[in-house]
Amino acid sequence: HFHKLQKYPSIKAAGKKYSYNLLSTVLRSPTPEETVTASFGEFVSKVKSEHLSSVVLHRSKRMVLDSIGVGLIGSTTEVFEMVLKHCKHMYGHDNICSVYGKRGIRLSPTLAAFVNGVATHSMDFDDTWHPATHPSGAVLPAVLALSDMMPASRKPSGLDFLLAFNVGIEIQGRLMRFSNEAHNIPKRFHPPTVVGPMGSAAACARLLSLDSSQCSHALAIAASLAGAPMANAATQSKPLHIGNASRLGLEAALLASRGLEASPLVLDAVAGVAGFSAFYEDYMPQPLDSPHDGHAFLLEEQDMGFKRFPAHLGMHWVADAAASVHKLLVGVGPGKVSPDQVQDILLRVPLSKYINRPFPESEHEARHSFQFNACTALLDGEVTVQSFTPGAISRPELRALLSRVRLEHPHDNPANFNVMYGEVQVTLVGGDILKGRCDTFYGHWRNPLSNESLRKKFRNNAEVVLPSAKVERLIKAVDELDRLDDCQHLLSQLQ
């Protein structure tokens, strides 16, 4: 603005006082009420349950059910047991909040949010959205823990519970839409560690009925607790990302409720000062509409992606494409697929280094390997929970197929969950070529799981640790959540 003034001699000649006044007008800082950060705080504080449409309620209840299911089966994993043992040893029991799949164990609210978040992502089985993140696992454990923490006389209604959950999902989606970089499979930060704590903080601030200023501070505090590098993908530490997002967002909201303050501009683009732009270099934020001005939730416009098997979302394209080739191979072979039939396997997939793993050695690497999931589907016709057991990973016939895989990265196949595809081309020993392609797998937000399929997945997961009768009561409790005066009925089924 100063340089623009130098271009106009008439303005310069008008005198120092006039120039100063004009500069002060041009460079005026926005009032607190005009900032992006304040608009987010006001939205979180002012949004009401009546702003949730029937579509949003339906979709969010499906997310809650799926997230509980993957958390329950996730409570059987090695990484979950390590984290739970750590929390019990370092912090001791605090008889407040329940833990997925563990009778008689209760922890403090923040630790319960942490271990339940770890359980949710321990098998990479949780929901995924676009731009790419895992939204439910960062929010639901925190909302459950905070609801558990509240006295019986102040338990939120089921509708208030769902409102808080949806606020947490909405904030994550809005923040990721302020960056083109965020639309692609990430290279630097794991998205749930960036937007997840913000979503958890927003959900908990809404459930605590914090005022607009406190909600803004909760988001700003959460921003200081955000961020984890992609290098820990495909390791036992990746589930910690979801656990920490849930826990730290809850912590941020509780600190804000006690009066702790943080930057009033953390979500704004301030030249020379990194706020949320530290995570996304092309971050261009916009104020959030007031809920009273007809705000439409993103979940209304775009459904959620639910996984049929526990692996990175990108694996679902190559698995479906390879499964279609499996059917062709079985048709021309002895009834099952043998590596002796196969000369060469070509995968046409997006270029993404951390999911290009030719010979995975662990279940976590296998969940992030184009090669492993394609070859498993070629052999078995599907990928399942059992595909990632040590015995399945080390099968000689699978290893033989892995040694024959090549990758190509076509220019029309970007690393973007909304437009990518998976293509599998198998050349047989006799020279015949079989091809399979998947543009939109079953479970993608464009091709969502039916209620029947979603409940089947939930039952398969939950019945690993809960009796069938309790599993059915959980399904009913989630289905009726928006009609319950008290969310205690849902909480009691998890205890």
Side-chain angles (χ1 to χ4, degrees):
H1 294 298
F2 177 76
H3 291 305
K4 287 181 181 178
L5 283 176
Q6 304 311 301
K7 294 179 181 178
Y8 299 97
S10 60
I11 294 179
K12 289 174 65 179
K16 184 183 295 185
K17 181 178 179 181
Y18 181 80
S19 297
Y20 173 80
N21 287 340
L22 182 57
L23 271 173
S24 67
T25 300
V26 172
L27 300 180
R28 178 184 67 82
S29 297
T31 66
E33 294 78 17
E34 296 173 330
T35 65
V36 172
T37 307
S39 75
F40 272 68
E42 182 179 8
F43 173 83
V44 173
S45 175
K46 301 290 177 60
V47 67
K48 305 294 183 187
S49 57
E50 52 262 33
H51 296 120
L52 301 175
S53 71
S54 59
V55 170
V56 170
L57 286 172
H58 172 70
R59 289 177 173 176
S60 59
K61 285 191 293 184
R62 282 162 51 92
M63 294 164 67
V64 169
L65 186 70
D66 183 72
S67 188
I68 290 173
V70 299
L72 286 168
I73 193 172
S75 71
T76 66
T77 60
E78 181 183 17
V79 63
F80 175 82
E81 289 292 345
M82 283 192 286
V83 168
L84 182 60
K85 181 183 288 187
H86 168 74
C87 289
K88 289 163 60 180
H89 177 72
M90 293 299 296
Y91 305 104
H93 287 225
D94 195 341
N95 191 32
I96 299 177
C97 300
S98 60
V99 174
Y100 281 147
K102 300 297 176 183
R103 183 188 300 275
I105 296 179
R106 295 175 74 81
L107 299 173
S108 70
T110 53
L111 291 183
F114 175 58
V115 299
N116 286 341
V118 169
T120 303
H121 198 58
S122 62
M123 298 172 72
D124 217 316
F125 213 175
D126 43 333
D127 57 24
T128 310
W129 216 11
H130 177 73
T133 194
H134 303 286
S136 293
V139 173
L140 184 61
V143 175
L144 286 170
L146 185 54
S147 299
D148 246 353
M149 171 185 167
M150 292 178 171
S153 61
R154 291 182 51 213
K155 293 291 185 201
S157 70
L159 202 51
D160 287 339
F161 182 99
L162 283 171
L163 174 62
F165 177 78
N166 274 288
V167 166
I169 303 304
E170 178 75 359
I171 293 303
Q172 294 179 78
R174 292 291 170 180
L175 289 173
M176 297 205 76
R177 279 164 172 75
F178 295 153
S179 162
N180 288 325
E181 176 188 339
H183 283 67
N184 297 324
I185 296 176
K187 297 177 181 178
R188 296 191 304 149
F189 293 101
H190 191 207
T193 73
V194 176
V195 297
M198 313 294 285
S200 173
C204 294
R206 175 61 265 174
L207 204 59
L208 290 166
S209 299
L210 302 189
D211 65 32
S212 298
S213 177
Q214 290 173 312
C215 290
S216 296
H217 288 305
L219 291 170
I221 296 166
S224 278
L225 307 175
M230 285 302 300
N232 270 329
T235 74
Q236 288 184 322
S237 288
K238 190 187 179 204
L240 303 184
H241 295 177
I242 299 291
N244 275 327
S246 188
R247 170 180 63 154
L248 296 173
L250 170 57
E251 201 113 54
L254 291 172
L255 287 168
S257 75
R258 295 184 182 277
L260 188 71
E261 297 182 348
S263 169
L265 296 172
V266 72
L267 298 181
D268 291 78
V270 180
V273 179
F276 202 72
S277 60
F279 301 111
Y280 299 109
E281 293 178 345
D282 63 347
Y283 178 69
M284 292 291 290
Q286 296 291 325
L288 206 54
D289 293 335
S290 168
H292 303 296
D293 294 335
H295 177 91
F297 279 76
L298 293 172
L299 193 58
E300 177 98 33
E301 306 165 13
Q302 179 180 286
D303 207 341
M304 193 60 53
F306 296 107
K307 299 177 179 179
R308 302 193 323 274
F309 57 88
H312 182 276
L313 194 74
M315 305 304 108
H316 289 65
W317 279 271
V318 292
D320 277 15
S324 66
V325 177
H326 168 89
K327 291 180 181 179
L328 298 173
L329 281 169
V330 170
V332 300
K336 66 176 184 178
V337 176
S338 168
D340 295 337
Q341 297 172 267
V342 177
Q343 177 179 306
D344 177 78
I345 302 169
L346 175 62
L347 307 182
R348 294 188 175 94
V349 293
L351 176 62
S352 183
K353 188 172 184 179
Y354 86 99
I355 44 180
N356 175 8
R357 298 178 185 273
F359 296 98
E361 297 295 331
S362 70
E363 62 167 301
H364 297 283
E365 290 183 356
R367 298 183 200 281
H368 295 75
S369 167
F370 278 131
Q371 295 89 335
F372 175 88
N373 287 273
C375 288
T376 296
L378 276 174
L379 273 179
D380 305 328
E382 61 180 350
V383 182
T384 68
V385 171
Q386 287 70 38
S387 300
F388 301 94
T389 59
I393 292 173
S394 61
R395 288 180 290 170
E397 59 269 36
L398 179 65
R399 292 280 152 175
L401 286 182
L402 288 172
S403 68
R404 294 163 201 175
V405 177
R406 296 180 295 120
L407 263 60
E408 284 184 0
H409 307 296
H411 294 301
D412 67 342
N413 197 5
N416 181 306
F417 290 148
N418 210 38
V419 295
M420 67 173 279
Y421 63 86
E423 196 168 275
V424 177
Q425 177 179 303
V426 176
T427 303
L428 302 183
V429 171
D432 289 338
I433 295 176
L434 306 176
K435 291 183 180 181
R437 174 170 168 139
C438 176
D439 294 288
T440 303
F441 65 87
Y442 182 44
H444 191 277
W445 44 88
R446 289 194 302 270
N447 186 21
L449 294 182
S450 67
N451 286 337
E452 181 182 0
S453 293
L454 190 78
R455 290 184 178 191
K456 181 180 178 181
K457 175 188 173 182
F458 176 78
R459 290 185 176 102
N460 289 340
N461 288 338
E463 287 178 359
V464 173
V465 295
L466 294 180
S468 296
K470 178 160 272 195
V471 170
E472 295 307 312
R473 289 198 296 271
L474 260 174
I475 292 173
K476 189 171 186 290
V478 174
D479 186 52
E480 297 176 348
L481 194 52
D482 54 323
R483 303 188 293 277
L484 295 178
D485 294 333
D486 187 325
C487 71
Q488 180 58 41
H489 182 56
L490 172 64
L491 299 175
S492 66
Q493 301 308 317
L494 292 171
Q495 295 162 8

